[in-house]
Amino acid sequence: AKRKGKNNFQYFDIVMKSEVDLVNLIKSDLRMALEKEQFFLYYQPLVDVRTGKVTSMEALVRWQHPKKGLLSPNHFIPIAEETRQIIPLGEWVLRKACMQMKEWLNMGYSGLSIAVNISVHQLEQLNFANNVLAILKEVELDPQYLELELTETVLVREMEIAAKNLYKLKEAGVKIIVDDFGAGNSSLRYLQEYMVDGLKIDRSFVNEITKDVNKAIIDAAVLLAHRMKLSVAAEGVETREQLDYLIRCGCDKVQGYYFSKPLPPDEATQIAQKVYQD
Ligand code: C2E
Ligand code: CA
Ligand code: CA
Ligand code: CA
């Protein structure tokens, strides 16, 4: 038994060491990845519950790492935030997503908008709003087509800068969405502090919708959103049962594998196309 314990320990030691190695590798490789054009975007549709049509596409970043293969954002976004690489990466994502939206508009899909995930670290930059507006101008995209999804799990340290940025963006017509609603602990504070346009209920509540407590939380979130005149979306919808519940409780938009997983640009375009054909 003693021996086995030791082996187990060594096993975990190796796992932990390779975990640390991976983090270090990502840390150093992140620096060149932008220049080497190793990032790309997938798009996942959000569907309007009432019309059944795609109302927006969420841009989700991917990293084609030369040695590690395709990396999901959970593997590198937290590291990019720590090293501040999220600033140039986030700007790249914004520009790329806005360019894609412009392309869709040129194809005539005017009912669509593009949703982009923003890190709190970006929001705390003095010139963030100006940068976003400059990108919109450069791409010639009307601000009304852009939605910024902000996760509230990380605490905002630079409240004043963040608020100024959000105010400027809202004034220009950009929409602000609180992402992963309910998962953090500052959600309500967020709604009170900033004038947001909508909220997106976290996947964890949708995931176990059969539990009464999750139903109660979803009901409350929808009520709260509508009382505040906000739109309410739910992410991570995988089953008909989940969708039915969300329809019944008055949720406005839904997103998840039940409709579509995140797709490369050409496949996302096909989905948008289908919507505009019927
Ligand atoms: P998120 O913004 O909450 O995005 C939803 C995540 O759930 C995506 O994972 C998506 O692929 C996944 N998902 C969608 N539908 C379903 C479903 O029905 N079931 C399940 N199990 N999962 C579903 P992904 O693409 O790996 O992104 C993970 C997180 O990384 C995102 O969570 C977002 O916070 C962050 N992220 C992605 N792209 C960016 C970006 O460009 N900038 C920043 N700052 N963060 C990003
Ligand atoms: Ca999101
Ligand atoms: Ca989420
Ligand atoms: Ca999120």
Side-chain angles (χ1 to χ4, degrees), residues 68-120:
K68 295 290 164 187
L70 190 64
L71 292 180
S72 87
N74 293 331
H75 280 106
F76 61 88
I77 292 284
I79 300 170
E81 287 178 330
E82 194 191 311
T83 62
R84 319 240 5 118
Q85 283 292 314
I86 192 68
I87 307 295
L89 173 58
E91 198 174 314
W92 178 88
V93 168
L94 257 165
R95 181 173 288 107
K96 190 84 182 169
C98 287
M99 283 164 65
Q100 180 62 67
M101 185 61 228
K102 180 71 184 178
E103 212 175 302
W104 284 328
L105 278 180
N106 287 341
M107 297 169 93
Y109 312 151
S110 55
L112 272 186
S113 56
I114 187 86
V116 179
N117 292 287
I118 297 296
S119 157
V120 172

Side-chain angles (χ1 to χ4, degrees), residues 43 59 64 81 91 109 126 138-139 143 151-152 159 179 210 229 236:
Y43 299 89
Q64 188 63 55
E81 287 178 330
E91 198 174 314
Y109 312 151
L126 263 175
E138 172 195 320
V139 177
T151 304
E152 35 73 58
M159 275 284 196
D179 202 353
T210 45
K229 304 222 167 16

Side-chain angles (χ1 to χ4, degrees), residues 151 179-181 183 200-204 235:
T151 304
D179 202 353
D180 298 330
F181 184 79
K200 202 177 196 181
I201 299 170
D202 190 61
R203 191 169 78 209
S204 56
E235 63 175 14

Side-chain angles (χ1 to χ4, degrees), residues 119-139:
S119 157
V120 172
H121 299 264
Q122 291 171 270
L123 193 62
E124 288 177 336
Q125 296 281 296
L126 263 175
N127 53 0
F128 176 68
N130 287 338
N131 283 348
V132 173
L133 297 178
I135 288 171
L136 288 168
K137 209 163 179 187
E138 172 195 320
V139 177

